[in-house]
Amino acid sequence: MPTPLVGVIGKTNVGKSTFFAAATELSVEIENRPFVTIEPNIGIAYVRKRCPHVELGLPKCDPVNSLCIRGWRFIPVKLMDVAGLIKGAHRGRGLGNKFLDDLRKADVLLHVVDMSGSTDEDGNPVKPGTHDPLEDILAIEDEVNEWFFQILWNGWDRFSRGLDTMPSDKAIEAIAKRLSGLSIRKEHVIEAIKLAGLEGRKPGSWGREGVREFTRRLREVAKPIVIVANKMDVPVAEDNYRRVREELKDRVIVPTSALSELILRRAAKSGYVDYVPGDPEFKVLEPGRLSKKQARALELIAEFMKKWGGTGVQQALNTAVFDVLRMIVVYPVEDANKLTDRNGRVLPDAHLLPEGSTALDLAAVVHTELAKGFLYAINVRDKRRVGASYVLKDGDIIKIVSATARH
Ligand SMILES: Nc1nc2c(ncn2[C@@H]2O[C@H](COP(=O)(O)OP(=O)(O)OP(=O)(O)O)[C@@H](O)[C@H]2O)c(=O)[nH]1
Ligand SMILES: [Mg+2]
């Protein structure tokens, strides 16, 4: 998985675009903005980690592929704003299949939910507290699950008869291949078969319910969902939030106010406030410049953040990438003593890699040539030599020694 793609999904009018705008708005420019113009609804958001330059007592770093703001390293991920989803989308209702098509490449989904209950099932505004967000959570999950199911169930009879003639590892490969358009890999299929309790059973005997359970598990594994409990700044939202948490204990839920984050990032960009995304607080820079209304709005945001520990937008991104996708951050350097690249830049690059990646995997991410001639690596923190199969740890700083190093 190179740069993870995070899909923002949800009903209409819940705050998806607000979340997207907030998460992709940054007051500092990045030297190497990688994918600025891939598609109009894809932007760059960032996950946030403590930068190792702080812990190592270095005065600063010189980030190239990422950013460092006051000791916090911001590492880019792709964020996709998807059109609002409504019930029946898998049958083509609303923007239906277009919506689902956009999601094919996503690695993880942020499901934005209007926790204030101020939008009905089709997204029309209603009095806060009158619609139950729990219904939305289940309805959207169902839509995505159903979409997976339909893709596999279509022609299953014939396909599964073919699978039954193959050894099981070939059958697993064939299933993964059939679903590769959904970015499904062999590991996902193996895991989902296990979770669905279908191990050792011929696919031809799974039946409709077996396939349904398998695709439900496959969706959980290949497109896990983080619930963004949005509009938490509306007073009635808190009751809903507590109830939903109680009802859905196995879900990952992050309370947020995307609108507060958007206001703060824009205020920071205009120099009204000092705010590092993901911080639990901010500072008003020149109170005299604010109108009464602006000052009051910021006061309310400050109260919200005090209560919840921040606006939740950065927390949702970090949860999706670090807790759910289980990615780690690794820093390759060329000079193991100075921690620099060959241009003397300190800790220039931060790479996101799946947990379990090795030193050789890192080499391949940095440069294919580097991997080809891989000799050994140095774990910079303890200056020890490690081999190609060394399993990287979060925060590792690694020098790769290769016979085919670039000169
Ligand atoms: N109170 C409050 N309102 C919010 C928040 N986030 C978004 N909103 C409001 O909700 C409304 C819908 O926001 P959008 O971001 O356009 O919602 P969307 O999900 O992208 O809607 P569609 O694109 O139509 O599906 C706007 O009026 C936002 O200002 C929030 O955190 N708190
Ligand atoms: Mg929108």
Side-chain angles (χ1 to χ4, degrees):
M1 192 192 304
T3 304
L5 174 61
V6 181
V8 180
I9 64 166
K11 195 176 72 176
T12 295
N13 237 341
V14 293
K16 295 182 299 298
S17 298
T18 307
F19 184 99
F20 178 86
T24 53
E25 173 101 51
L26 212 62
S27 51
V28 195
E29 277 304 313
I30 175 162
E31 193 177 310
N32 248 351
R33 284 180 74 97
F35 354 70
V36 249
T37 55
I38 345 171
E39 275 174 59
N41 63 335
I42 297 186
I44 303 302
Y46 300 83
V47 288
R48 161 179 151 146
K49 276 259 177 181
R50 204 74 190 136
C51 181
H53 93 257
V54 179
E55 165 214 332
L56 295 170
L58 300 168
K60 67 173 188 72
C61 62
D62 311 293
V64 175
N65 81 339
S66 42
L67 296 159
C68 187
I69 310 174
R70 243 168 282 150
W72 294 99
R73 189 57 83 107
F74 286 85
I75 305 135
V77 297
K78 290 185 268 183
L79 190 69
M80 177 165 51
D81 186 16
V82 175
L85 184 62
I86 54 171
K87 257 192 202 165
H90 72 272
R91 293 192 301 271
R93 209 178 151 232
L95 286 173
N97 295 324
K98 156 81 179 94
F99 158 93
L100 295 166
D101 251 18
D102 277 347
L103 289 187
R104 290 182 310 127
K105 295 270 170 282
D107 298 301
V108 60
L109 306 176
L110 291 177
H111 178 186
V112 182
V113 176
D114 175 356
M115 266 305 158
S116 72
S118 55
T119 39
D120 72 10
E121 88 171 14
D122 287 328
N124 304 308
V126 293
K127 193 168 152 266
T130 56
H131 181 75
D132 186 357
L134 186 62
E135 279 177 27
D136 297 341
I137 294 175
L138 301 176
I140 298 274
E141 269 182 23
D142 267 2
E143 276 311 317
V144 183
N145 291 348
E146 192 59 24
W147 169 53
F148 266 55
F149 170 71
Q150 294 292 348
I151 289 176
L152 194 60
W153 185 243
N154 217 331
W156 175 254
D157 264 357
R158 205 182 146 171
F159 177 61
S160 66
R161 273 199 300 276
L163 296 176
D164 288 355
T165 66
M166 303 173 188
S168 78
D169 59 326
K170 287 279 174 269
I172 285 165
E173 267 170 31
I175 296 174
K177 191 160 172 239
R178 192 169 169 100
L179 297 170
S180 62
L182 299 174
S183 311
I184 284 176
R185 298 188 303 270
K186 213 174 142 186
E187 312 87 78
H188 296 141
V189 175
I190 295 171
E191 179 77 12
I193 289 178
K194 207 184 283 167
L195 290 169
L198 293 164
E199 265 171 315
R201 281 184 51 189
K202 291 258 181 213
S205 72
W206 290 0
R208 192 183 171 94
E209 281 323 296
V211 173
R212 189 176 285 285
E213 182 59 12
F214 168 69
T215 48
R216 190 172 74 83
R217 295 302 193 165
L218 193 61
R219 200 282 300 151
E220 285 175 11
V221 173
K223 308 241 185 268
I225 293 178
V226 171
I227 295 171
V228 175
N230 195 35
K231 305 198 189 178
M232 285 298 290
D233 52 287
V234 179
V236 295
E238 189 173 347
D239 283 348
N240 279 332
Y241 171 71
R242 304 222 174 273
R243 182 172 48 87
V244 166
R245 277 217 94 110
E246 209 33 53
E247 297 264 343
L248 304 176
K249 288 213 171 73
D250 60 336
R251 308 296 204 284
V252 182
I253 310 180
V254 183
T256 58
S257 171
L259 187 57
S260 301
E261 181 74 13
L262 184 61
I263 292 171
L264 276 188
R265 291 209 190 185
R266 292 199 168 149
K269 206 168 187 173
S270 315
Y272 287 111
V273 300
D274 183 11
Y275 171 62
V276 179
D279 270 2
E281 56 191 11
F282 63 91
K283 212 171 107 210
V284 175
L285 289 176
E286 292 169 65
R289 272 175 70 198
L290 297 175
S291 72
K292 258 211 173 106
K293 212 173 141 201
Q294 287 171 322
R296 180 65 191 143
L298 288 176
E299 245 173 65
L300 289 173
I301 293 174
E303 278 169 33
F304 178 88
M305 292 169 79
K306 197 157 177 203
K307 175 160 185 184
W308 298 97
T311 71
V313 168
Q314 187 64 60
Q315 287 82 348
L317 289 161
N318 271 28
T319 299
V321 173
F322 296 133
D323 301 345
V324 173
L325 285 183
R326 299 185 158 282
M327 299 197 89
I328 57 169
V329 182
V330 182
Y331 299 80
V333 294
E334 291 193 33
D335 185 321
N337 295 311
K338 297 196 186 118
L339 274 51
T340 56
D341 63 9
R342 61 202 159 124
N343 298 315
R345 293 181 292 208
V346 177
L347 296 167
D349 292 333
H351 288 292
L352 282 169
L353 293 167
E355 213 175 79
S357 298
T358 62
L360 185 61
D361 294 330
L362 173 67
V365 167
V366 176
H367 202 280
T368 19
E369 286 301 310
L370 209 56
K372 267 191 208 153
F374 189 101
L375 297 171
Y376 61 93
I378 295 170
N379 183 347
V380 169
R381 284 176 202 270
D382 57 15
K383 297 280 190 296
R384 268 202 238 169
R385 249 187 204 220
V386 293
S389 61
Y390 166 75
V391 176
L392 299 160
K393 290 189 302 296
D394 188 36
D396 268 356
I397 304 168
I398 301 284
K399 172 183 166 61
I400 289 157
V401 180
S402 170
T404 46
R406 287 167 291 162
H407 292 293

